[in-house]
């Protein structure tokens, strides 16, 4: 069995109903055919299948010969549409608008009524050949082309609908495979703790913000180009200084890659593309230097001599090589960048933290209950409705295990939801329809659910992380300010709810946890250029390593364009009445015709304020846990001693999603570590169990 067949089997056997643990040969033949026809890798085919699965209504679809052929036809149709679109664009560029010519008299009849009419050939009437003067109706001219998408002004009787036309109707209550664990990570045997016999007297987790949240309340849409360039420039210089300190190299080892020289130097700069369109490739990759170390110029990179490499736009790299010709910088080695130190805590502080694991002062210290953390990411309801049933089911599960901390990552009121986007929903019962706002909608659906849960588990801490897609939030740029807590109407539950920024680094007892709602995993997967041995590494681990090495929650620059998002927003059913006459008047006895057109609505994308990009960086130490929600399949990996968790989304368009359940045991300290008295590394992955669970 060749490598391609082995990789296809490993990636797609989980999607098939295998018989006797044997991968179906006919399905394998279809997959191999797709690889040959479309010249794609098994990894890319796997991601296309995941996107196809989400489009068709969930992950419950099993792959057989029929579904594989339907999947193949869908890819073919997409390629044909893309080809037709490119051909149409080329034709549109060539076709210009002709200069308007007057058919008689003055152009556009500007002088009509002031000068005698010049007879027009089209105006002859009657046997005598007399002319008839054109009468002006002085009415607003009717549009020749009706806009038929949800971002345009109505061109007639325009009625938006909340649900997507066509497709299966998903009933969340009748979902299958609920509570199924799709992926699990743990060292040894770590059991799910039983609910306490006595309710804890106080919260077992102490929160401490490691991020200065006051700096996030900046004014958006006030970015200056000079400030943005300085931030980008300073980031290159900072990494250059870090590399010099960690390696002990002399200043003479570093140089400007733009200057022609046969001598080998180390160049530090930012990866960029030579073109504004298309994905980064070996032919378009360039290195952008800072004003101090690279004259602020870009130089093409020659990476043919490297056995393994992986780059993405915005990545800060240190490259060893030469520029003998002056045309390109020939790279011979990629130097690893220094990582942040792992978090550590002194033994006496760990003893005080371990004492918090006790539910009551009388609890047995030899039989402590492990901490339970629940992590979920929005959307929290399907595209079918706004009942937020997945969110209520999540809170029920958290109450059953008596969770100590819940982390809820936005979007909560998703601006890409069909009903939110079209405004086709009822106002909350306690709000006036004329004065209701999106915040009232948040109070009705989300705040009420939090209040109900808080009554059941009053000692559980809840963290709310905003998203750029939150329709009720006042701040819509990354780095993003926190929710205004007093506007959410949380009532008594507000005591245990903390509104944090995006991104955020917080300490929970001894644990350091970093989190952000940016889907950086999917963006890096799409923009990354990998070659050689790097292509064999797991894509999740590669992307997580980039985040940790670059010390940033958003190392990609510029972020992925809106048109490249994995799953575009669901369309909204629209009906535009096509006018029957040029001036918009309908003829007597004639029915109005419905005109349909595809919606060009794009995802909201990542609105980035480059001047404040430093607020999106990690500070001081690596996190113990890094939460990176993504539309990709939920997963958990250990990368550079960091537990990287993607909980998935709690709700999909027409299917139930997943969440993450984290079980943490107390830290153990050896006698030798106590005697030394030095800070002890947490090594959280050795005493933690993480489950990715279907809601």
């Amino acid at each position: 069995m060749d490598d391609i067949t082995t990789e296809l089997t490993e990636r797609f056997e989980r999607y098939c109903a295998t018989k006797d643990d044997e991968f179906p040969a006919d399905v394998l033949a279809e997959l191999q055919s797709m690889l040959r026809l479309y010249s794609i890798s098994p990894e890319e085919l796997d991601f296309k299948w995941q996107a196809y699965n989400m489009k068709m209504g969930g992950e419950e679809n099993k792959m057989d010969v029929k579904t594989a052929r339907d999947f193949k036809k869908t890819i073919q149709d997409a390629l044909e549409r893309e080809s037709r679109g490119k051909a149409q664009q080329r034709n549109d560029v060539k076709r210009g608008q002709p200069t308007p010519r007057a058919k008689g008299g003055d152009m556009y009849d500007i002088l009509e009524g002031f000068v005698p009419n010049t007879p027009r050939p089209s105006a002859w009437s009657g046997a005598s050949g007399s002319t008839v003067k054109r009468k002006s109706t002085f009415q607003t001219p009717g549009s020749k082309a009706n806009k038929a998408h949800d971002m345009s002004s109505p061109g007639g009787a325009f009625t938006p609908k909340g649900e997507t036309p066509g497709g299966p109707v998903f009933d969340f209550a009748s979902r299958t495979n609920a509570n199924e664990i799709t992926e699990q990570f743990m060292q040894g045997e770590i059991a799910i703790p039983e609910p306490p016999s006595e309710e804890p007297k106080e919260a077992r987790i102490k929160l401490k913000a490691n991020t200065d949240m006051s700096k996030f309340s900046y004014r958006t849409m006030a970015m200056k180009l000079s400030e943005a360039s300085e931030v980008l420039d300073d980031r290159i210089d900072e990494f250059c200084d870090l590399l010099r300190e960690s390696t002990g190299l002399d200043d003479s080892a570093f140089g400007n890659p733009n200057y022609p020289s046969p001598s080998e130097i180390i160049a530090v700069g930012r990866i960029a593309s030579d073109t504004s369109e298309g994905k980064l490739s070996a032919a378009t990759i360039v290195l952008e230097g800072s004003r101090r170390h690279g004259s602020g110029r870009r130089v093409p990179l020659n990476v043919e001599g490297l056995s393994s490499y992986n780059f993405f736009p915005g990545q800060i790299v240190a490259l060893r090589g030469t520029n003998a010709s002056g045309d390109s910088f020939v790279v011979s080695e990629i130097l690893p960048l220094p990582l942040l130190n792992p978090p550590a805590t002194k033994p006496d502080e760990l003893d005080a933290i371990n004492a918090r694991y006790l539910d009551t002062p009388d609890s047995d210290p030899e039989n402590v209950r492990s901490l339970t953390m629940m992590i979920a990411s929005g959307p929290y309801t399907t595209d079918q409705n706004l009942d937020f049933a997945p969110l209520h089911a999540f809170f029920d599960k958290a109450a059953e295990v008596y969770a100590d901390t819940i982390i809820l990552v936005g979007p909560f009121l998703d601006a890409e939801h069909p009903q939110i986007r079209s405004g086709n929903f009822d106002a909350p019962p306690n709000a006036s329809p004329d004065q209701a706002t999106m915040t009232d909608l948040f109070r009705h659906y989300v705040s009420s659910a939090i209040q109900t849960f808080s009554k059941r588990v009053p000692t559980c801490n809840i963290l709310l992380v905003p998203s750029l897609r939150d329709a009720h939030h006042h701040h819509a740029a990354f780095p993003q300010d926190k929710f205004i807590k007093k506007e959410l109407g949380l009532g008594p539950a507000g005591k245990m709810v903390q509104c944090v920024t995006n991104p955020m680094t917080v300490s929970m007892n001894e644990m350091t946890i970093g989190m952000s709602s940016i889907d950086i995993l999917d963006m890096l997967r799409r923009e990354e250029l990998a070659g050689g041995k790097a292509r064999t590494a797991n894509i999740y681990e590669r992307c997580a390593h980039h985040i940790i090495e670059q010390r940033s929650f958003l190392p990609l620059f510029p972020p992925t364009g809106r048109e490249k998002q994995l799953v575009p927003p669901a369309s909204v059913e629209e009906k535009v009445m096509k006018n029957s006459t040029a001036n918009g008047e309908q003829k007597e006895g004639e029915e109005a015709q419905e005109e349909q057109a595809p919606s060009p609505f794009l995802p909201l994308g990542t609105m980035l304020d480059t001047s404040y990009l430093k607020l999106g960086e990690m500070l001081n130490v690596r996190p113990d846990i890094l939460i990176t929600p993504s539309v990709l399949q939920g997963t958990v990996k250990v990368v550079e001693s960091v537990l990287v968790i993607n909980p998935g989304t709690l709700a999909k368009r027409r299917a139930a999603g997943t969440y993450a359940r984290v079980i943490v045991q107390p830290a153990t300290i050896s006698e030798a570590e106590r005697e030394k008295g030095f800070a002890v590394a947490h090594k959280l992955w050795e005493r933690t169990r993480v489950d990715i669970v279907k809601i």
Side-chain angles (χ1 to χ4, degrees):
M1 185 180 293
D2 58 9
D3 295 339
I4 297 296
T5 304
T6 303
E7 186 174 358
L8 282 174
T9 304
E10 292 176 352
R11 287 184 175 277
F12 287 91
E13 62 182 355
R14 57 180 173 173
Y15 305 128
C16 300
T18 56
K19 184 178 181 181
D20 299 330
D21 296 330
E22 184 177 352
F23 194 81
D26 46 3
V27 176
L28 182 60
E30 291 292 339
L31 296 176
Q32 291 172 335
S33 173
M34 283 184 259
L35 295 185
R36 292 192 301 270
L37 286 174
Y38 309 126
S39 301
I40 58 178
S41 64
E43 179 184 60
E44 187 175 354
L45 188 64
D46 185 9
F47 285 120
K48 286 183 179 295
W49 169 255
Q50 292 184 33
Y52 174 77
N53 237 351
M54 284 186 279
K55 177 182 177 183
M56 297 305 295
E59 298 177 353
E60 289 77 12
N61 299 327
K62 293 295 183 181
M63 177 177 280
D64 51 24
V65 180
K66 181 181 181 304
T67 56
R69 289 172 179 170
D70 292 342
F71 173 47
K72 182 178 180 180
K73 185 177 183 302
T74 301
I75 297 179
Q76 180 64 33
D77 293 343
L79 290 175
E80 290 178 358
R81 285 195 301 269
E82 183 179 355
S83 178
R84 288 195 300 267
K86 290 181 178 179
Q88 181 65 31
Q89 289 178 1
R90 288 194 296 268
N91 293 337
D92 290 343
V93 171
K94 294 178 182 178
R95 187 187 302 119
Q97 293 293 335
T99 304
R101 301 295 183 188
K103 296 181 180 179
D106 59 296
M107 185 178 295
Y108 300 120
D109 288 332
I110 296 176
L111 302 179
E112 182 180 16
F114 294 92
V115 297
N117 287 314
T118 303
R120 301 186 179 95
S122 60
W124 297 109
S125 68
S128 61
S130 61
T131 60
V132 179
K133 183 179 179 181
R134 188 181 66 173
K135 300 293 184 180
S136 177
T137 59
F138 298 102
Q139 294 180 352
T140 302
S143 173
K144 294 182 179 180
N146 287 319
K147 299 177 183 178
H149 55 83
D150 54 340
M151 298 303 290
S152 66
S153 301
F158 185 86
T159 307
K161 299 294 183 182
E163 296 185 359
T164 306
V169 177
F170 173 70
D171 182 15
F172 181 79
S174 62
R175 68 194 185 280
T176 58
N177 302 326
N179 304 320
E180 176 185 337
I181 297 177
T182 61
E183 187 167 342
Q184 185 178 83
F185 170 85
M186 63 177 169
Q187 301 279 359
E189 291 294 329
I190 301 177
I192 299 176
E194 295 292 333
S197 55
E198 298 182 52
E199 290 189 0
K201 301 300 181 183
E202 57 184 16
R204 300 198 301 160
I205 287 183
K206 183 178 180 181
L207 297 177
K208 179 184 177 182
N210 294 352
T211 301
D212 187 357
M213 293 189 286
S214 62
K215 295 181 179 179
F216 286 75
S217 57
Y218 62 87
R219 291 185 304 161
T220 57
M221 301 181 68
M223 181 173 61
K224 296 180 180 179
L225 192 60
S226 58
E227 294 176 356
S229 64
E230 289 177 3
V231 169
L232 296 174
D233 208 55
D234 291 344
R235 182 166 167 80
I236 298 176
D237 293 339
E238 288 174 7
F239 271 91
C240 188
D241 295 338
L242 288 171
L243 187 67
R244 188 183 295 107
E245 293 174 4
S246 63
T247 58
L249 293 172
D250 190 72
D251 290 347
S252 59
F254 297 85
N256 189 338
N258 293 278
Y259 293 159
S261 173
S263 303
E264 191 175 61
I265 63 168
I266 297 176
V268 180
R270 177 181 293 102
I271 295 295
S273 178
D274 196 26
T275 62
S276 58
E277 298 180 357
K279 185 179 177 181
L280 185 69
S281 66
T284 62
I285 186 172
V286 296
L287 184 69
E288 180 183 281
S290 67
R291 286 186 284 260
R292 195 174 90 183
H293 295 100
S295 305
R297 297 171 58 192
R298 290 181 172 183
V299 58
L301 293 181
N302 186 336
V303 295
E304 295 177 355
L306 297 176
S307 60
S308 176
Y309 60 85
N310 52 334
F311 300 113
F312 62 89
Q315 178 184 12
I316 307 298
V317 293
L319 307 175
R320 189 190 301 273
T322 58
N323 186 1
S325 65
D327 297 329
S328 64
F329 187 75
V330 182
V331 183
S332 59
E333 182 186 0
I334 303 175
L335 302 181
L337 298 179
L339 302 177
L340 288 168
N341 294 324
T345 307
K346 292 183 177 180
D348 55 344
E349 295 177 358
L350 285 175
D351 290 336
I353 290 172
N354 289 343
R356 296 198 192 104
Y357 281 68
L358 302 178
D359 293 321
T360 63
D362 300 330
S363 299
D364 183 10
E366 300 296 329
N367 189 24
V368 296
R369 184 168 60 94
S370 302
L371 295 175
T372 301
M373 184 189 310
M374 306 276 281
I375 306 170
S377 175
Y380 292 95
T381 186
T382 63
D383 282 357
Q384 304 277 306
N385 48 51
L386 289 174
D387 61 3
F388 284 82
L391 179 61
H392 291 282
F394 174 77
F395 277 133
D396 289 340
K397 295 300 176 185
E400 289 176 8
V401 299
Y402 225 88
D404 296 286
T405 295
I406 289 178
I407 297 177
L408 298 177
V409 184
F412 295 91
L413 294 183
D414 190 1
E416 295 181 359
H417 191 284
Q419 294 187 14
I420 298 292
R421 196 169 79 238
S422 64
N424 186 26
F425 56 85
D426 296 330
N430 56 349
S432 171
D434 298 334
Q435 300 178 355
T437 64
M438 287 295 175
T439 305
D440 294 320
L441 209 64
F442 184 95
R443 294 193 194 106
H444 178 67
Y445 288 114
V446 181
S447 297
S448 60
I450 294 176
Q451 292 179 26
T452 303
F453 169 78
S454 186
K455 292 177 182 178
R456 299 171 65 182
V457 189
T459 57
C460 179
N461 291 289
I462 302 176
L463 274 68
L464 303 181
V465 185
S467 167
L468 299 180
R469 285 162 48 187
D470 273 312
H472 71 289
H473 196 19
H474 69 284
H475 200 284
F478 184 90
Q480 191 177 22
D481 197 9
K482 61 183 181 298
F483 294 141
I484 300 177
K485 187 175 178 180
K486 63 181 180 180
E487 294 182 355
L488 304 183
L490 297 169
K495 180 181 178 182
M496 300 304 295
V497 176
Q498 302 296 328
C499 297
V500 299
T501 57
N502 174 30
M504 180 66 186
T505 303
V506 63
S507 292
M508 295 185 180
N509 291 349
E510 82 280 11
M511 300 177 289
T512 301
I513 301 178
M515 63 196 79
S516 174
S517 61
I518 292 291
D519 191 351
I520 186 61
L521 291 180
D522 180 53
M523 286 196 284
L524 286 175
R525 177 188 71 84
R526 291 177 166 276
E527 303 294 339
E528 184 191 39
L529 167 65
K533 297 179 182 179
R535 294 184 61 87
T536 62
N538 183 276
I539 182 66
Y540 291 104
E541 294 179 358
R542 289 206 312 260
C543 295
H545 177 78
H546 288 319
I547 300 171
I548 297 168
E549 183 186 53
Q550 297 294 304
R551 308 183 180 194
S552 173
F553 290 94
L554 183 59
L556 184 70
F557 185 86
T560 302
R562 298 168 63 191
E563 67 281 355
K564 297 181 183 179
Q565 296 294 317
L566 176 64
V567 182
S571 59
V572 177
E573 182 181 359
E574 300 149 352
K575 293 182 180 180
V576 179
M577 308 312 293
K578 186 176 181 180
N579 295 324
S580 302
T581 60
N583 59 6
E585 296 180 357
Q586 184 176 330
K587 296 180 180 180
E588 185 178 356
E590 182 179 353
E591 295 183 359
Q593 300 177 359
E594 294 180 3
E595 182 178 1
Q596 295 286 347
S599 171
F601 188 87
L602 294 175
L604 294 181
T606 305
M607 290 71 73
L608 179 65
D609 198 314
T610 312
S611 301
Y612 293 89
L613 198 56
K614 195 169 183 60
L615 296 177
E617 297 181 1
M618 301 176 186
L619 303 175
N620 304 325
V621 295
R622 273 176 276 169
D624 290 305
I625 297 177
L626 178 61
I627 301 173
T628 57
S630 175
V631 295
L632 302 178
Q633 185 177 357
T635 187
V636 52
K637 301 291 181 184
V638 176
V639 181
E640 302 292 352
S641 303
V642 179
L643 203 56
V644 183
I645 301 175
N646 168 25
T649 57
L650 194 66
K652 302 181 185 298
R653 284 188 175 177
R654 297 178 184 271
T658 58
Y659 65 91
R661 178 177 58 211
V662 184
I663 311 297
V664 183
Q665 293 182 332
T668 56
I669 310 166
S670 64
E671 291 299 327
E673 291 171 336
R674 290 186 183 278
E675 291 177 1
K676 292 180 181 179
F678 298 138
V680 179
H682 296 163
K683 298 182 180 179
L684 199 68
W685 75 91
E686 295 181 352
R687 50 189 173 95
T688 300
R689 165 179 173 172
V690 183
D691 300 325
I692 305 298
V693 189
K694 287 188 175 182
I695 188 61

